[in-house]
Amino acid sequence: MGATEGSRDTDRRIGRRALLLGGTAAAVGSAVLARDELARLWWRTPGVEKPRVEGAVDFRGARWVAASDANWRRADRPDDYGIDLVVVHVTQGSFASAVKAFQDPGHRAAAHYIVGKDGRITQMIRELDVAYHAGNRSYNERSVGIEHEGFVDRPEDFTDAMYAASARLTAGICARYGIPVDREHIIGHVEVPGTDHTDPGRHWDWDRYMKLVRQAGRPLTRA
């Protein structure tokens, strides 16, 4: 599952480039804060939020259930942080327990998506925002996290329906952000630097999964 209390992304609100306000901004002038930068970051000022559509999802067919806002932070990806990774997780529990954990502000971690054994997909954090799922701030900022229902030591939890649904989801993410469909850009939680997690574990069939992702990403051709 996502990063724990001790390893989560510790920056609660501020992105890589802090917005300078008041007299400081006036003194620095446009030579430092270019117009396009201000246009992108205006909503970071106190009391201003980038507009969101209530209940909107990034993947068609996903169900929206909001994670606690303690488990992610607002961003404007890919404008402020480029997205070039998908991180595969396993929940180490049921679908319902993962949803409950990500809604708990005390959990301090959550992924963007959860995929169930039956193939259902729930989105809990928008892709434009930074989810605390990888246990590494840089990787959080540049990735989309996908949890999969089950346990790493139970290969039977990784069903055909789960593989197929997750592959379609990952293919869509890769197409959206121009992410190469390879093992350098689609990784397991265990491959994140500094993590103490082992998921998705040795029973996750990477060869099968990558083949499905490539197939799902191919444009349909007419006979």
Side-chain angles (χ1 to χ4, degrees), residues 19 43 62 64 182 222:
L19 181 62
W43 59 271
W64 175 258
D182 59 37
R222 296 182 179 179

Side-chain angles (χ1 to χ4, degrees), residues 13 40-52 54 69 72 74-76 128-129:
R13 290 292 174 188
R40 196 158 57 228
L41 299 179
W42 68 270
W43 59 271
R44 291 181 185 271
T45 59
V48 178
E49 292 185 350
K50 193 174 191 297
R52 258 74 166 174
E54 184 71 25
D69 60 9
W72 56 275
R74 283 185 181 270
D76 191 21
L128 59 84
D129 293 320

Side-chain angles (χ1 to χ4, degrees), residues 29-223:
S30 60
V32 176
L33 296 178
R35 180 174 298 177
D36 61 340
E37 186 77 354
L38 289 172
R40 196 158 57 228
L41 299 179
W42 68 270
W43 59 271
R44 291 181 185 271
T45 59
V48 178
E49 292 185 350
K50 193 174 191 297
R52 258 74 166 174
V53 177
E54 184 71 25
V57 295
D58 296 300
F59 181 77
R60 183 179 298 178
R63 179 180 65 122
W64 175 258
V65 178
S68 167
D69 60 9
N71 298 332
W72 56 275
R73 61 179 164 88
R74 283 185 181 270
D76 191 21
R77 303 191 310 167
D79 288 337
D80 52 1
Y81 306 110
I83 299 174
D84 65 353
L85 292 172
V86 175
V87 180
V88 174
H89 302 261
V90 174
T91 61
Q92 289 298 96
S94 68
F95 191 98
S97 67
V99 171
K100 183 177 180 181
F102 294 169
Q103 290 179 314
D104 178 5
H107 188 62
R108 303 295 188 179
H112 293 90
Y113 294 96
I114 306 173
V115 181
K117 296 177 188 177
D118 58 3
R120 60 178 160 163
I121 298 173
T122 291
Q123 183 172 3
M124 301 194 69
I125 299 169
R126 290 179 172 85
E127 291 175 11
L128 59 84
D129 293 320
V130 175
Y132 303 151
H133 67 96
N136 178 309
R137 177 174 171 175
S138 174
Y139 275 65
N140 284 342
E141 290 171 346
R142 60 188 285 209
S143 67
V144 174
I146 305 175
E147 288 278 2
H148 297 81
E149 178 185 16
F151 294 85
V152 296
D153 58 349
R154 289 173 42 173
E156 64 271 21
D157 288 347
F158 305 142
T159 64
D160 293 345
M162 173 185 286
Y163 274 120
S166 180
R168 290 192 298 271
L169 173 59
T170 293
I173 294 167
C174 289
R176 213 161 14 256
Y177 304 108
I179 302 172
V181 179
D182 59 37
R183 285 287 284 114
E184 291 183 10
H185 297 86
I186 302 172
I187 65 174
H189 193 181
V190 66
E191 297 170 84
V192 175
T195 186
D196 60 355
H197 288 245
T198 63
D199 53 318
R202 63 187 180 90
H203 296 300
W204 182 261
D205 190 337
W206 279 110
D207 290 340
R208 176 185 182 185
Y209 186 65
M210 296 303 296
K211 181 178 179 180
L212 288 170
V213 174
R214 294 187 185 100
Q215 290 175 343
R218 291 174 186 160
L220 295 177
T221 57
R222 296 182 179 179

